[in-house]
Amino acid sequence: NAGVTQTPKFRVLKTGQSMTLLCAQDMNHEYMYWYRQDPGMGLRLIHYSVGEGTTAKGEVPDGYNVSRLKKQNFLLGLESAAPSQTSVYFCASSYSDRTKETQYFGPGTRLLVL
Amino acid sequence: AQSVTQPDIHITVSEGASLELRCNYSYGATPYLFWYVQSPGQGLQLLLKYFSGDTLVQGIKGFEAEFKRSQSSFNLRKPSVHWSDAAEYFCAVGAWGNKLVFGAGTILRVKS
């Protein structure tokens, strides 16, 4: 039982390049989330998914797209990377959307955009 | 809108000393409150959570937190800090649909 895993762990991009971050969970969780973490700002929700094939915008969705083709996977895409997207990206999952449900976090992906 | 304030960016305590990390929240209804810890290079781990009932909540690793509605606070405490507690701590409030709103975090340094 690996929990929540993220690929890659670290990536350097040039401005304008694209990439996809992969999140996978093996807990059969329905809900999955992408956050970005910036110094002094905590974690902010980018997009989330309430089930296979459904996604929704969070607090800071601009410049990102997501897809949830399989229940266990949640992909975060950057179509044209910008230096402002330099951040640490965390994926999380939970069993339901009940507010008391614990969210389980992955180890993070550190992204540097030059 | 929901918000969380962690007034202290950095805190340094001596090993064996007591610890209190402050958290204030803004939320219109009864809040669901969480404390997470992030060790260097790691993801976030849940320390404890409060939904209702007893306002003093026990968590893992010897941590506890007290919910005070009158002060809109949910401070995290530990009676005796260990060097392994050095990490960044995040307070969060659960919004509708289980979306978490995080504070900016407090970095704890432990000196021997």
Side-chain angles (χ1 to χ4, degrees):
Chain A
N1 189 339
V4 180
T5 58
Q6 293 183 232
T7 309
K9 289 185 170 55
F10 178 71
R11 184 76 182 268
V12 179
L13 287 179
K14 294 181 180 178
T15 297
Q17 287 185 317
S18 64
M19 79 163 294
T20 300
L21 283 67
L22 171 63
C23 175
Q25 53 93 6
D26 62 1
M27 296 175 282
N28 201 34
H29 283 172
E30 204 67 39
Y31 292 78
M32 297 186 74
Y33 313 82
W34 276 108
Y35 294 89
R36 60 177 288 173
Q37 182 186 26
D38 302 293
M41 302 188 74
L43 280 77
R44 293 177 293 168
L45 183 65
I46 305 171
H47 285 281
Y48 63 101
S49 169
V50 301
E52 185 177 320
T54 66
T55 63
K57 294 180 180 179
E59 180 185 355
V60 288
D62 294 343
Y64 305 95
N65 56 75
V66 289
S67 64
R68 183 101 180 266
L69 298 180
K70 293 183 179 180
K71 185 177 184 178
Q72 63 267 34
N73 296 337
F74 194 28
L75 279 64
L76 178 71
L78 286 73
E79 290 185 348
S80 180
S84 61
Q85 294 178 304
T86 293
S87 187
V88 181
Y89 292 86
F90 286 100
C91 176
S93 71
S94 66
Y95 179 71
S96 77
D97 71 340
R98 293 177 63 201
T99 311
K100 61 179 64 178
E101 286 287 344
T102 298
Q103 288 188 22
Y104 295 87
F105 284 80
T109 294
R110 189 173 297 274
L111 176 64
L112 175 62
V113 183
L114 301 175
Chain B
Q2 304 87 0
S3 66
V4 176
T5 301
Q6 293 180 248
D8 304 304
I9 298 174
H10 297 99
I11 281 186
T12 300
V13 298
S14 298
E15 191 169 15
S18 64
L19 170 71
E20 183 170 30
L21 302 181
R22 295 183 292 164
C23 171
N24 293 97
Y25 67 89
S26 172
Y27 190 65
T30 300
Y32 296 126
L33 296 161
F34 305 79
W35 273 101
Y36 282 85
V37 60
Q38 183 183 26
S39 298
Q42 304 296 314
L44 278 71
Q45 181 183 21
L46 181 69
L47 284 175
L48 49 79
K49 55 187 177 182
Y50 169 79
F51 303 132
S52 64
D54 194 347
T55 57
L56 187 62
V57 181
Q58 301 297 321
I60 63 171
K61 305 184 180 187
F63 286 92
E64 66 178 26
E66 186 171 13
F67 170 61
K68 293 185 177 180
R69 184 186 299 274
S70 62
Q71 300 177 17
S72 297
S73 68
F74 188 56
N75 294 348
L76 183 71
R77 301 194 295 248
K78 187 170 186 179
S80 178
V81 170
H82 187 262
W83 64 266
S84 61
D85 293 323
E88 189 163 15
Y89 292 80
F90 293 95
C91 182
V93 62
W96 177 84
N98 202 21
K99 292 184 279 293
L100 293 175
V101 176
F102 285 86
T106 297
I107 296 172
L108 172 65
R109 299 191 179 109
V110 180
K111 59 181 181 180
S112 55

